[in-house]
Amino acid sequence: MQAPLFIAGQWIETAQTAPVFNPATGDTLGTVSRADIDHLDQCLSAARQGFEVWRRTPAHERGQIMSKACAIIRERATEIGTILSQEQGKPVPEATGEVRTSVDNLEWMAEEASRAYGRVLVPRTPGIEQTVRKYPIGPVAAFTPWNFPALTPLRKIGGALAAGCSIVLKPSEETPFTAVELVKAFAEAGVPDGVLNLVFGDSRLISGRLIDSPIIRKITFTGSTAVGKILQARAAEGVKRATMELGGHAPVIVCDDVDVASAAKLAVKSKFRNAGQVCTSPTRFFVQKGVYEDFIDAFVNETKRLKIGNGQQEGVDMGPLANERQLKSVEGFVNDAVKSGARLVTGGGRVGNRGYYFEPTVLADVPDTARIMFEEPFGPVVPFQPFDTLDGALEKANALPFALAGYVMTKSLSRSAHLSEEMVAGMVVVNHFTVSTPSSPFGGMKESGDGLEGGIEGLDAYLVSKTVTSRIAGKDLD
Ligand code: NAD
C-alpha cells in the first residue's frame, strides 16, 4: 500500500517516503509520502483557492456533496475497516464500527450545513436593522492521531466542510491509509479541488509551516496534551482559533449500590476497546468499600474472557497496541505501579514476541504516588482504589489537570445527580459508557482541551460572526 499526498485535486507520490508498520506483526505494510516545503506551500495556495470556491457554494449543495461522500464511505465501510485494522491494530469489526460511526457524524454535519443561522437583533433605535451573520472562518489546518484514523479526521472534515471552510488534513503517518480512503471518497463525491487537501511528513515541519501561514485561520488538533500546548501557543502567535482535543484520564466512580456483575461487564467492554488507547477511556476506577473486592473479582473474571490476537482474525476482542512506543510506555506504567506498592491482580506483561501485544492488566490498591494515577496510561491497564464517601471520591476524580470524560455507576438518583453535577469533565456519563453521539458536543475542560467537535457547537467552531447594522428608515443620508 502507498499513501500519497492529495493537493489541489491531484494525488502526489513523493520521492521521500517512510515505512508504515502492521502492529499485529511488526511487518512493513506499505509506505507513506513525505511532503517538503514546496508541497506545503502548494497546499496552502490550494486551500486558499478552494476556500474561495467552497464558501460561495450554497450550504445545501455542500451538504449534498458531503452526503454523497457518506454514501461512498458507507458502502466501503468493511474494506476501509479492514485497512484501518491492519494499520492501527483494532479488530476488524471494531474498525468497521469506527468507520460507520464516523460517517454518522459526517452525515449529521452534512445536514447541519444548512442551519448555520445568524440572528436578527431587536434594535435600540427606530429605523436601524441589526443582523448577526455567520461566515466560514477560513482555511483550516487539521492534525489527527493514530488511535482513531477514521473518526478524528471525519469529525474535523465534517465541521469544516459544512461551515464552508477548506481544510488541510495531516493525519498520523502511522495510520495514513484510512485517511487516503476517506479523501478518495470526497474526491469522488465531487468536492472541488483545493477544498480538501491531505499531507503527511515531518509533523513539526508541517504544523509549523501551516500554522504560521496567514492563509490558515483555524487549527484543530487531536492528540497528546504535550503536543497540543505547543500547537496552541503557535496558533496564538497569529491570533488563530484553535480547537484542542487532548488527553484524558477518566475517573469512574462505582457506588456500593450497583449490580456488581453487570456494572463490571459494561466497564470491561469499554475499558479494553482499542486496547485502552482512547482519550475518553475509563482509566481511574474508584470503587466504594462495600463492593470493592467483589467488583474487582467480577472485573477480572470478565477481563480473562477477552480474546487477544491479530485484529484480522475472527472472534478477537482486543488487538495489539498501535506501536512499539505504546508497548514500552504501558510496560513502564505497570512496573512503576507495582514498585509503588500496587497489587497486580491479572496481566502485567507482553503477549508473545511478535507484534505489540500487551495483556489486559488489573492493578488494585494503587497508591496516588504511582504514575498511572496522574499520567494518561493510554493502554489496557486499569488501576483501582477504594473509597468511603462520595465527596472523597469526587475530590480524587477532580484532582488532575485532565477533565475530558468522567463516569458514574449507581442506582441512586440523588447520587447520580450529585456526582454528575460536581464532576469536572467535558462529558459525564452515568451508568453506561457511550460518551458522544453526532448531535452531542465532544471536548474537554482544563488541560484536556479547548473547543468542541460535534453537535451544533462543532459547526460553530468553524464559523465567525459579523454584525451588520443598517439604517433602513428615517431621514435620507445627506
Ligand atoms: P505524540 O504526542 O508525539 O503524537 C500524537 C499525535 O500528534 C500523532 O498523531 C503525531 O503525528 C502528532 N504530532 C506530534 N507532534 C506534532 C507536531 N509538532 N505537529 C503536529 N502534529 C504532531 O505522541 P505519541 O507517542 O503518538 O503518543 C503519546 C501519548 O499521547 C499517548 O500515549 C497518549 O497518552 C497521547 N495521545 C493521545 C491521543 C488522544 O486522542 N487524546 C492520541 C494519540 C496520543
Side-chain angles (χ1 to χ4, degrees):
M1 281 193 276
Q2 285 190 336
L5 316 180
F6 187 68
I7 302 174
Q10 301 297 314
W11 291 100
I12 301 167
E13 280 178 25
T14 61
Q16 285 253 19
T17 60
V20 180
F21 300 102
N22 179 345
T25 59
D27 296 341
T28 304
L29 198 58
T31 57
V32 56
S33 282
R34 287 173 70 81
D36 59 23
I37 288 284
D38 287 344
H39 293 122
L40 298 176
D41 289 345
Q42 285 165 30
C43 218
L44 285 163
S45 139
R48 180 172 49 196
Q49 286 165 26
F51 178 60
E52 289 308 315
V53 175
W54 197 237
R55 76 185 179 93
R56 293 188 164 86
T57 305
H60 76 277
E61 275 179 39
R62 296 200 296 261
Q64 279 168 351
I65 295 174
M66 290 170 70
S67 293
K68 222 186 236 179
C70 289
I72 297 169
I73 297 169
R74 229 177 234 130
E75 203 187 304
R76 296 182 193 156
T78 312
E79 191 189 323
I80 301 174
T82 305
I83 292 170
L84 195 162
S85 164
Q86 280 173 345
E87 63 182 359
Q88 199 273 340
K90 66 184 68 164
V92 172
E94 193 180 321
T96 307
E98 179 189 332
V99 175
R100 296 214 166 95
T101 303
S102 312
V103 180
D104 291 346
N105 282 283
L106 183 66
E107 192 159 62
W108 196 90
M109 277 298 174
E111 291 165 1
E112 201 61 12
S114 295
R115 296 182 203 122
Y117 306 127
R119 63 192 201 275
V120 179
L121 304 183
V122 178
R124 295 177 75 94
T125 313
I128 293 291
E129 181 192 70
Q130 278 183 298
T131 54
V132 181
R133 303 172 189 183
K134 301 270 184 159
Y135 297 92
I137 191 165
V140 174
F143 307 93
T144 56
W146 41 261
N147 55 334
F148 285 98
L151 186 63
T152 48
L154 281 187
R155 272 225 180 100
K156 295 178 194 313
I157 294 172
L161 263 51
C165 298
S166 59
I167 183 166
V168 180
L169 174 69
K170 191 208 85 69
S172 166
E173 287 69 28
E174 290 172 308
T175 54
F177 302 122
T178 302
V180 168
E181 294 306 312
L182 301 177
V183 171
K184 270 187 203 163
F186 284 96
E188 278 176 43
V191 168
D193 294 351
V195 172
L196 172 57
N197 305 279
L198 178 69
V199 288
F200 302 103
D202 178 329
S203 291
R204 275 206 206 167
L205 176 87
I206 297 175
S207 57
R209 192 73 174 183
L210 297 183
I211 296 173
D212 290 351
S213 164
I215 293 170
I216 296 297
R217 295 308 318 157
K218 175 185 166 131
I219 318 304
T220 170
F221 171 76
T222 300
S224 65
T225 298
V227 173
K229 284 181 180 177
I230 296 169
L231 300 192
Q232 190 166 26
R234 195 131 182 181
E237 281 174 29
V239 196
K240 296 177 186 188
R241 191 183 293 170
T243 295
M244 293 285 144
E245 301 289 355
L246 308 179
H249 204 339
V252 188
I253 298 181
V254 182
C255 297
D256 58 9
D257 55 33
V258 296
D259 178 324
V260 166
S262 64
K265 196 171 176 178
L266 266 183
V268 165
K269 203 167 168 214
S270 171
K271 171 64 232 177
F272 297 107
R273 186 166 71 97
N274 201 11
Q277 302 163 115
V278 181
C279 50
T280 55
S281 183
T283 44
R284 291 178 293 146
F285 280 73
F286 302 108
V287 184
Q288 206 157 13
K289 275 191 176 150
V291 293
Y292 182 68
E293 292 299 341
D294 286 352
F295 189 85
I296 294 177
D297 283 350
F299 193 96
V300 169
N301 284 342
E302 281 300 321
T303 300
K304 285 183 173 163
R305 287 169 190 246
L306 296 174
K307 189 176 167 198
I308 317 304
N310 186 328
Q312 301 285 303
Q313 286 161 6
E314 243 178 76
V316 165
D317 298 300
M318 193 183 97
L321 296 174
N323 53 54
E324 203 169 356
R325 292 191 309 289
Q326 280 295 109
L327 193 59
K328 289 193 175 138
S329 158
V330 170
E331 247 168 353
F333 276 112
V334 174
N335 293 341
D336 171 79
V338 171
K339 249 195 236 158
S340 309
R343 177 161 53 101
L344 178 64
V345 189
T346 187
R350 284 188 71 159
V351 181
N353 53 11
R354 194 161 175 254
Y356 312 130
Y357 299 95
F358 199 88
E359 290 175 295
T361 299
V362 175
L363 297 159
D365 313 337
V366 183
D368 287 338
T369 48
R371 203 153 54 79
I372 195 166
M373 293 310 292
F374 52 88
E375 276 181 36
E376 184 180 30
F378 227 59
V381 187
V382 193
F384 279 92
Q385 273 191 1
F387 75 85
D388 273 321
T389 64
L390 293 193
D391 286 338
L394 267 174
E395 198 180 317
K396 293 218 163 177
N398 293 340
L400 301 189
F402 299 110
L404 187 58
Y407 303 89
V408 170
M409 306 196 93
T410 178
K411 281 185 179 161
S412 152
L413 197 57
S414 65
R415 285 174 163 188
S416 153
H418 177 61
L419 292 171
S420 55
E421 188 64 21
E422 295 300 323
M423 194 176 261
V424 181
M427 293 155 291
V428 175
V429 188
V430 182
N431 289 334
H432 72 119
F433 286 90
T434 303
V435 175
S436 71
T437 61
S439 54
S440 61
F442 181 97
M445 296 177 179
K446 299 204 256 181
E447 291 191 14
S448 284
D450 190 25
L452 296 160
E453 294 187 312
I456 51 174
E457 291 86 351
L459 180 64
D460 218 40
Y462 293 89
L463 296 167
V464 279
S465 298
K466 183 200 282 181
T467 304
V468 177
T469 304
S470 313
R471 197 169 77 186
I472 53 169
K475 270 188 14 182
D476 284 340
L477 292 178
D478 45 25

